[in-house]
Amino acid sequence: MENTFGINIIPENDDARIAVLKRYKILDTPPEHAFDNVAKLATQIFNVPISLVSLVDTEQVFFKANVGMGNARSTSRGLSLCSLAVLKDEVTVFEDAVHEPCLLANPLVSGAFGLKFYAGAPLITHDGFLIGTMCIVDKVARNFSEADRNILAGLAKIVMDEIELRLQAIDEREKQISINEELAAANEEQTATNEELAATIEELATTNEELTSSNQELEEIRINLSEVLNRLVESDAKARYIISDAPVAISVLAGRELIIESANNKILQIWGKDNSIIGMRLEAALPELEGQPFLGILDQVYITGIPYYGTELKALLHHRDKLEEIYLNFVYHPVKDMTGVTNSILVVATDVTEQVMARHKVERAEEMLRMATAAADVGTWHMDIESRNFTPSPKLKEIFGFNPTDEMSFQAALEQIADGYKDKVTFAVEESITKGKEYHVEYPILDFNDKELRWVKATGKTYISDHETPSFFSGVAVDITEQKQDEQRKNDFIAMVSHELKTPLTSLKAYVQMLLAKAKKSEDIFTSGALEKVLVQANKMGKLIQGFLDVARLEGGKIHLNPETFKIDKLIKEVIAENNIISSSHKLTFECEDLTVHADKDKIEQVLNNLVSNAIKYSPKGKNIEISCKKSGENVQISVKDEGIGIKQQDINKLFERFYRIENQQTERISGFGIGLYLCFEIIQRHHGHIWVESQPGQGSTFHFTLPLSDNQ
Ligand code: ADP
């Protein structure tokens, strides 16, 4: 590089300086208004012909702005005075070049150009490098004051700011360019994507068209669906309501884990739990199920999808800290999804514990009865009322003299009953079947095999149909032959003794009456009083003996009825009159309708006498006794009411049994043998009437009996 100045024009940091210069990307760039304007401004301020913005490169000095130097764009570094101006920070000034030794060899100074004046302010970068100048040139020598130097330095600063700004702008632009490039690339990609998108959109458009039409179809389906859903919701609500209060137990168990999805009140009741178990696994909610068959069955139903029906299965469930035995009829029904896969199980159950328990009780009772009947040698029978199918037990056949394998119809059994009793038994059976009355009879039979007489005591009852079992008549029968024979012997003895006592008593009474008549005649008051007492006692005794005789006759079947038609009210009046004569201790009243009966008058009189004398016997002196009779349906009902000691309920049922007496403090001083009411019962029964008592201890008793009214009533 030529150097016209004769001094070193390359500063020490020139490489770094050049690098910084290059940083500004300004070398060899076209003129720019911003710099041109500053250069113009400098010419105007300093009134010089030439102004330059120069940048000092390695070899050349490049003019970024050039006013007054023609088209020159650059000059050699060794020629340009600016090479000197970048050697120091201050403004370099040559007021008259011809006096400057370093410039004497410079062609611009010595040549045709004739440069005389030069002032150059360095362009100093923010980091302290001097990269160029803002300079002015004149062809005449000039004075350049300190103020001029400051102005030029100021212009240089403006230029430097402009260069910095320009760089920033370039950087920005470059950044922008790279962004733009990226954008362009991205755009390119976008374009490709867009193309794809366009294709997709096209496809979508066609799909959309298809969709629009199917949408219409869908809309229709949606409307239908929402209608169905509405109905479902409605019916679901109803179903929920019905299910929650349903009388059967219902639950839905979801999934193979058997989560209790829903459970109505009834099933919670059976499980002994409240609704806090909803949402739990069945296994966790009812831990007591472990070891019981239910969980296994449910799992099988889930796996196989086949419903399971359980009948009277026993479950042990915790109810208030206690394991309870519960019997259930139930169905486990698999609920499947649209693909036919089971997703839950519907449980519907009914608690049949009561029925099962009741049946077990009946079974146990039947078993006991079988054992009891076998042990007690009791025969039993069962007769279907509608078909009259008669089923006797082997023991009953044996009692009647049949072989256990023989057929024994009801008719065949009736055939074996001794004459005189057939009607009684048939009547009692019909009364039980048609009127539900209890059946208690004793009757003699002739053994089917050996024709020997045997006594049977039978007790039965009619059971009315309850939907499941038809009406039937059944009961038990025992062989009481031995007992009857004992009684017979006893009766024969009583009859004999009574008879033997009756004859002497009759003559005793006759003698007493004779003596009484005599004593009255001789007005022997003491003797006649004593004899009257003897007569009362003898009469009492006579009655007792008569009672025994009656019983003996009755038992021996020797009582025969001699029925006649008579006015019952008249008979009652006679009985009252007679009793008034015997005893005036009670007030007897009478209220009776005019009614006629057909009966054995003597026997009915005996019944009336018995009831009236009992009323007198068992009530304190001075009390009322009311006798009444009235029509009751087809019968006449006669009642004897007293205000006496009354009878306890437990005694009432046994009162009409033979020899039954109530033993207590009130009755211990009252004589009797307990045969009066027994005779009444037997007599009334033979008249197909009824006898019963209503009584409360301490509040008196009323004995009633009925007799059929005579046909011409
Ligand atoms: P008895 O000869 O002992 O009176 P009954 O057969 O006539 O025999 O009576 C049986 C029992 O019934 C009596 O022992 C008595 O305890 C009771 N009885 C009968 N009639 C009455 C009555 N009107 N009031 C209270 N108890 C009575």
Side-chain angles (χ1 to χ4, degrees):
M1 183 191 67
E2 63 163 334
N3 184 349
T4 62
F5 304 109
I7 54 166
N8 182 21
I9 56 164
I10 308 298
E12 272 178 23
N13 69 348
D14 203 51
D15 285 347
R17 196 194 62 83
I18 298 293
V20 169
L21 173 62
K22 295 243 158 80
R23 186 174 75 193
Y24 289 102
K25 296 169 191 163
I26 196 165
L27 293 168
D28 299 321
T29 57
E32 287 170 46
H33 286 301
F35 300 102
D36 290 348
N37 289 341
V38 179
K40 266 184 207 156
L41 189 67
T43 56
Q44 285 161 7
I45 293 170
F46 297 109
N47 193 25
V48 288
I50 298 162
S51 170
L52 298 165
V53 171
S54 69
L55 297 156
V56 180
D57 196 4
T58 320
E59 299 277 333
Q60 298 278 318
V61 173
F62 169 68
F63 304 139
K64 180 63 189 171
N66 171 4
V67 178
M69 284 276 283
N71 292 329
R73 297 290 325 263
S74 65
T75 181
S76 161
R77 185 172 176 183
L79 281 179
S80 174
L81 276 68
C82 292
S83 307
L84 301 172
V86 294
L87 295 177
K88 54 180 173 103
D89 287 351
E90 294 91 49
V91 178
T92 298
V93 180
F94 300 106
E95 289 182 335
D96 190 357
V98 289
H99 298 292
E100 299 289 334
C102 65
L103 298 180
L104 291 177
N106 191 287
L108 292 170
V109 178
S110 58
F113 186 76
L115 183 147
K116 291 278 175 12
F117 172 78
Y118 175 88
L123 303 176
I124 305 170
T125 64
H126 61 273
D127 42 359
F129 291 96
L130 284 59
I131 56 166
T133 65
M134 168 75 243
C135 68
I136 48 177
V137 173
D138 204 348
K139 290 178 182 176
V140 291
R142 300 182 64 119
N143 287 326
F144 204 67
S145 67
E146 200 51 42
D148 292 336
R149 287 175 193 246
N150 286 341
I151 293 167
L152 191 64
L155 289 175
K157 210 164 172 309
I158 292 171
V159 170
M160 193 60 230
D161 285 346
E162 198 58 44
I163 290 170
E164 294 279 0
L165 275 173
R166 183 181 173 282
L167 179 64
Q168 269 182 28
I170 287 169
D171 283 350
E172 281 295 315
R173 207 169 44 247
E174 275 177 5
K175 239 191 256 167
Q176 196 58 48
I177 286 166
S178 77
I179 290 172
N180 280 350
E181 272 169 7
E182 277 173 37
L183 271 176
N187 257 351
E188 232 164 87
E189 274 175 42
Q190 192 60 44
T191 316
T193 321
N194 276 354
E195 270 164 32
E196 281 171 35
L197 263 177
T200 317
I201 286 169
E202 218 166 288
E203 270 175 47
L204 271 175
T206 44
T207 319
N208 217 8
E209 256 167 58
E210 287 171 17
L211 268 177
T212 318
S213 69
S214 44
N215 259 353
Q216 278 163 353
E217 284 168 35
L218 268 177
E219 182 60 18
E220 278 167 33
I221 294 172
R222 199 188 59 77
I223 293 169
N224 287 346
L225 207 67
S226 74
E227 248 173 57
V228 172
L229 270 177
N230 276 349
R231 257 182 253 150
L232 259 179
V233 168
E234 233 173 70
S235 57
D236 192 44
K238 266 186 221 162
R240 262 171 216 283
Y241 176 74
I242 292 166
I243 287 169
S244 81
D245 283 325
V248 285
I250 301 171
S251 172
V252 176
L253 304 173
R256 197 168 171 189
E257 309 81 49
L258 306 174
I259 309 251
I260 303 165
E261 196 178 84
S262 64
N264 74 349
N265 296 338
K266 197 79 189 173
I267 207 158
L268 289 174
Q269 212 173 309
I270 290 176
W271 286 343
K273 303 285 179 296
D274 59 29
N275 58 15
S276 62
I277 61 159
I278 290 173
M280 287 173 78
R281 296 178 66 185
L282 183 67
E283 207 177 10
L286 303 170
E288 63 267 36
L289 287 185
E290 200 195 318
Q292 300 189 45
F294 305 98
L295 292 174
I297 298 171
L298 281 163
D299 200 45
Q300 273 307 107
V301 171
Y302 196 88
I303 297 169
T304 59
I306 300 168
Y308 182 90
Y309 297 87
T311 313
E312 293 184 0
L313 238 71
K314 184 170 87 177
L316 293 170
L317 293 166
H318 261 300
H319 279 222
R320 275 181 240 96
D321 302 330
K322 213 173 94 207
L323 260 193
E324 284 207 356
E325 208 174 283
I326 290 165
Y327 290 84
L328 299 165
N329 281 350
F330 61 87
V331 52
Y332 291 159
H333 193 88
V335 181
K336 298 174 183 181
D337 63 17
M338 278 171 28
T339 60
V341 177
T342 305
N343 56 21
S344 50
I345 297 174
L346 174 71
V347 179
V348 180
T350 41
D351 182 350
V352 290
T353 311
E354 259 178 50
Q355 292 94 302
V356 174
M357 291 293 194
R359 212 187 46 243
H360 283 179
K361 219 162 139 188
V362 170
E363 280 165 6
R364 273 197 295 274
E366 278 177 355
E367 180 62 27
M368 294 282 286
L369 185 69
R370 257 196 302 281
M371 279 159 56
T373 51
D377 259 359
V378 173
T380 59
W381 78 88
H382 181 280
M383 185 162 83
D384 187 299
I385 288 178
E386 212 169 301
S387 64
R388 295 280 168 143
N389 244 346
F390 182 71
T391 320
S393 72
K395 181 69 198 174
L396 190 74
K397 289 183 190 173
E398 194 189 313
I399 293 172
F400 275 75
F402 288 79
N403 288 323
T405 48
D406 287 347
E407 273 283 316
M408 185 176 95
S409 66
F410 181 60
Q411 207 47 46
L414 278 182
E415 290 296 313
Q416 300 314 118
I417 294 174
D419 288 342
Y421 283 88
K422 265 187 198 138
D423 288 351
K424 180 186 166 183
V425 174
T426 316
F427 179 78
V429 169
E430 286 309 315
E431 285 281 284
S432 174
I433 289 175
T434 56
K435 297 180 187 160
K437 291 189 179 159
E438 293 211 350
Y439 171 77
H440 296 289
V441 275
E442 283 181 14
Y443 52 89
I445 53 164
L446 289 172
D447 189 293
F448 179 71
N449 247 336
D450 56 23
K451 309 290 176 226
E452 265 191 40
L453 187 90
R454 186 167 296 150
W455 275 86
V456 172
K457 181 175 179 171
T459 301
K461 205 177 169 209
T462 294
Y463 298 85
I464 303 303
S465 157
D466 62 355
H467 298 300
E468 279 168 33
T469 17
S471 303
F472 62 92
F473 170 61
S474 75
V476 293
V478 275
D479 182 342
I480 52 161
T481 311
E482 260 183 50
Q483 191 186 325
K484 272 284 166 188
Q485 281 167 351
D486 276 354
E487 275 174 21
Q488 194 55 50
R489 279 191 286 273
K490 212 158 53 191
N491 284 337
D492 289 348
F493 176 75
I494 291 169
M496 187 192 76
V497 171
S498 308
H499 192 76
E500 291 304 313
L501 285 175
K502 214 182 161 187
T503 325
L505 187 65
T506 313
S507 47
L508 184 78
K509 266 167 72 176
Y511 282 115
V512 171
Q513 272 161 349
M514 236 166 62
L515 287 173
L516 183 62
K518 241 179 159 182
K520 277 185 176 168
K521 215 173 179 180
S522 61
E523 292 182 351
D524 183 344
I525 295 164
F526 173 76
T527 310
S528 58
L531 286 172
E532 260 173 5
K533 283 191 179 122
V534 171
L535 203 58
V536 168
Q537 294 303 323
N539 277 334
K540 256 192 192 172
M541 209 174 181
K543 272 194 182 166
L544 281 176
I545 292 167
Q546 186 57 46
F548 283 129
L549 271 174
D550 285 343
V551 170
R553 280 200 206 121
L554 199 74
E555 303 279 315
K558 287 174 194 146
I559 275 199
H560 295 291
L561 298 182
N562 296 312
E564 57 182 297
T565 303
F566 63 93
K567 290 213 177 277
I568 188 75
D569 52 320
K570 205 168 160 231
L571 178 68
I572 294 170
K573 260 188 216 161
E574 282 169 17
V575 171
I576 290 175
E578 202 179 310
N579 276 279
N580 270 335
I581 296 167
I582 300 167
S583 157
S584 55
S585 56
H586 295 76
K587 206 176 142 214
L588 299 179
T589 59
F590 160 79
E591 200 184 319
C592 214
E593 292 172 26
D594 178 7
L595 296 164
T596 309
V597 294
H598 187 73
D600 185 324
K601 195 177 171 191
D602 286 347
K603 301 273 181 307
I604 300 303
E605 185 181 353
Q606 200 179 337
V607 170
L608 278 168
N609 265 323
N610 242 315
L611 295 181
V612 172
S613 66
N614 273 351
I616 293 169
K617 249 171 42 175
Y618 298 104
S619 10
K621 281 190 179 134
K623 293 284 180 184
N624 291 328
I625 295 165
E626 286 171 36
I627 301 133
S628 61
C629 78
K630 61 174 184 186
K631 195 177 165 192
S632 162
E634 312 247 297
N635 298 307
V636 53
Q637 182 179 319
I638 298 128
S639 309
V640 179
K641 183 170 184 264
D642 65 47
E643 298 168 349
I645 59 173
I647 305 157
K648 283 191 197 152
Q649 187 59 41
Q650 74 228 41
D651 293 315
I652 283 180
N653 301 332
K654 295 180 181 164
L655 220 54
F656 298 98
E657 285 175 17
R658 193 175 54 161
F659 302 131
Y660 189 82
R661 298 207 74 221
I662 299 166
E663 306 288 353
N664 58 31
Q665 273 186 346
Q666 289 167 302
T667 59
E668 68 184 0
R669 291 175 179 278
I670 305 169
S671 64
F673 285 102
I675 52 172
L677 289 180
Y678 168 66
L679 281 173
C680 293
F681 178 83
E682 289 294 330
I683 291 167
I684 297 301
Q685 235 207 359
R686 268 156 226 247
H687 280 89
H688 303 309
H690 296 286
I691 181 163
W692 72 101
V693 61
E694 286 164 3
S695 184
Q696 293 271 335
Q699 295 184 15
S701 318
T702 308
F703 283 82
H704 308 273
F705 69 90
T706 59
L707 287 174
L709 282 165
S710 81
D711 293 340
N712 53 11
Q713 188 66 40

